[in-house]
Amino acid sequence: MALPPLFDRLRLPVIGSPLFIISCPELVIAQCKAGIVGSFPALNARPQSQLDEWLHQITEELSAWNRDNPDAPAAPYAVNQIVHKSNERLEADLHTCAKWQVPITITSLGAREELNTAVHSWGGITLHDVIDDRYAHKAIEKGADGLILVCAGAGGHAGKLNPFAFTQEVRQWFDGPVALSGAIANGGAVLAAQAAGADLAYIGSPFIATVEGKADDAYKAGIVEGRASDIIYTNLFTGVHGNYLRASIEAAGLDADALPESDPSKMNFGSGGNSKAKAWKDIWGSGQGIGAVSKVEPAADLIARLDAEYAAAKARLLG
Ligand SMILES: Cc1cc2nc3c(=O)[nH]c(=O)nc-3n(C[C@H](O)[C@H](O)[C@H](O)COP(=O)(O)O)c2cc1C
C-alpha cells in the first residue's frame, strides 16, 4: 500500500524519532526543513502551556519555509504521546494538538481507540510503536494507521526482536505504513529497512549528537565516542527494558554488568524507576548504532550525510 500523501514531501524516507528531553522545536524544524519527519514528545514542552507555544513556532516557521521554498517544501512533523497511566497530561496535550491539527501523532506505551479517533477527527494520522507482533495487531485493531517496529538495539525503550524477523511477520498481514527502528544510523541502513519491507526508517540516537539536540555536551560526546558494545539493556531505570550508555551507568556508581532487575509495577516514565539515578537525565539512553556517528554537527548536515549514503547504496545495489 502507498504511504499517505503527506509523506510525498520527504527527501529521505526517514522519521527523526522523538527523544525525551532532547527533541525541541529547533531540532524538529531543522529535520523537517531538511526533508525528514521531525518529532518530539509532547512531555518535552514544560509546563503544559508551552506545548501551544512550540506548535505555534513549528507551524509558523515551516509555513514560512514552504512559502519561500515551493520546490523543496518541509516534511510534516509529528508529536509523540506517551499513552501510559503515569501521563496525567495526555488529555490536555491532545486538546492542544487538535488546535494545531498536528499532522502525525506517534503513540507509545499504550494503544487507545479514542486517541486514534480524536487524531483522525482533525485529519491527522497515528503511528503506534510496538515491540512484537501481538502488540502490532492490537495497535491496528484499535485504529492506528501505521506501525513503528522498535527492534533490538534501539535507543531508549527497545524491543528484543531482530528487525528482519519482526518486519517479515508484520508484512504477512499488514500492508499499511511501517517504520523500522533500531540502530539505523547510515543511509545504507535506511535502504536496508526498505528492502526488508518497511516504508520508513525511524532514527533517534544519532540526533542526540546534533547542535540542535538538547543534551549536555558530555552526553553528545558519549554518543560520538560510543560503540555498540557500550550499550546496556536493562529495565532498572524506568521499569521497562531500554538501552543506555555504559559510561553514564558507571558514572552513577553502578556496576553496568550486574544491574538488578526492576519491579515493572513501579514503572514511571521519566522517573528514576528503582534506581536513584534519574533515567534520561543522568542515565543516557542510546541505541547500538552510534558507531556510525563521528561528530556533533547540525541536524541538516547529518541528514545530508544520510541522504548521500542512501543514494550511494542505491546506486551500488540497484545500478
Ligand atoms: C534518549 C532517548 C530518549 C527517547 N525518548 C523517547 C520518547 O520520549 N518517546 C518515544 O516514543 N521514544 C523515545 N525514544 C525512542 C526513540 O524514539 C526511537 O525508538 C529510538 O531512538 C530508535 O532507535 P535508535 O536510537 O537506535 O535510532 C527515546 C530514545 C532515546 C535514545
Side-chain angles (χ1 to χ4, degrees):
M1 199 178 86
L3 280 176
L6 84 168
F7 290 103
D8 291 350
R9 281 179 278 150
L10 266 57
R11 164 177 168 193
L12 195 64
V14 169
I15 298 175
S17 70
L19 302 168
F20 192 53
I21 302 178
I22 296 158
S23 310
C24 54
E26 291 70 26
L27 178 58
V28 172
I29 290 164
Q31 289 170 322
C32 294
K33 284 182 180 175
I36 70 165
V37 174
S39 72
F40 69 96
L43 291 174
N44 278 10
R46 289 171 195 225
Q48 198 278 333
S49 59
Q50 199 180 53
L51 182 60
D52 186 60
E53 292 161 31
W54 281 18
L55 293 176
H56 187 183
Q57 182 185 351
I58 292 168
T59 306
E60 290 241 307
E61 287 201 34
L62 295 184
S63 304
W65 171 270
N66 289 345
R67 264 194 314 275
D68 297 342
N69 299 274
D71 299 332
Y77 72 92
V79 174
N80 169 227
Q81 302 290 356
I82 303 294
V83 189
H84 185 267
K85 56 181 182 319
S86 65
N87 180 7
E88 289 162 4
R89 278 178 45 173
L90 184 58
E91 205 168 314
D93 286 345
L94 277 174
H95 193 71
T96 309
C97 289
K99 173 179 166 191
W100 292 99
Q101 304 193 328
V102 168
I104 304 169
T105 298
I106 294 171
T107 48
S108 317
L109 298 173
R112 272 207 221 154
E113 197 161 349
E114 63 275 19
L115 189 151
N116 292 315
T117 308
V119 172
H120 292 153
S121 74
W122 74 70
I125 67 159
T126 56
L127 305 175
H128 187 63
D129 79 5
V130 289
I131 56 165
D132 66 29
D133 197 49
R134 192 172 63 89
Y135 283 118
H137 275 281
K138 227 166 140 182
I140 297 304
E141 278 160 20
K142 301 237 178 219
D145 299 288
L147 296 168
I148 298 160
L149 313 185
V150 184
C151 294
H157 293 145
K160 280 200 253 190
L161 292 183
N162 174 288
F164 294 124
F166 197 4
T167 313
Q168 283 159 189
E169 287 187 11
V170 166
R171 278 306 188 207
Q172 285 170 350
W173 60 270
F174 183 64
D175 67 355
V178 166
L180 185 61
S181 149
I184 298 175
N186 73 18
V190 174
L191 186 64
Q194 288 186 303
D199 301 293
L200 301 154
Y202 192 75
I203 301 182
S205 300
F207 286 100
I208 299 168
T210 57
V211 172
E212 294 88 347
K214 286 219 180 308
D216 290 348
D217 287 346
Y219 187 179
K220 292 182 183 182
I223 295 289
V224 170
E225 286 153 19
R227 316 279 298 170
S229 55
D230 297 319
I231 303 304
I232 304 289
Y233 188 63
T234 174
N235 70 355
L236 178 65
F237 303 109
T238 69
V240 173
H241 273 95
N243 282 314
Y244 303 91
L245 269 175
R246 169 186 291 273
S248 64
I249 296 173
E250 289 174 351
L254 297 165
D255 179 351
D257 295 314
L259 294 174
E261 283 285 307
S262 170
D263 174 356
S265 67
K266 304 259 165 58
M267 193 265 176
N268 188 357
F269 190 82
S271 83
N274 294 173
S275 148
K276 284 204 181 71
K278 240 179 170 294
W280 315 113
K281 194 176 173 300
D282 304 326
I283 305 294
W284 299 334
S286 172
Q288 291 178 0
I290 53 173
V293 178
S294 60
K295 59 182 167 208
V296 176
E297 60 188 339
D301 292 358
L302 167 57
I303 295 162
R305 167 174 74 78
L306 294 171
D307 194 33
E309 292 165 347
Y310 178 77
K314 237 177 163 172
R316 182 164 48 85
L317 294 170
L318 306 173

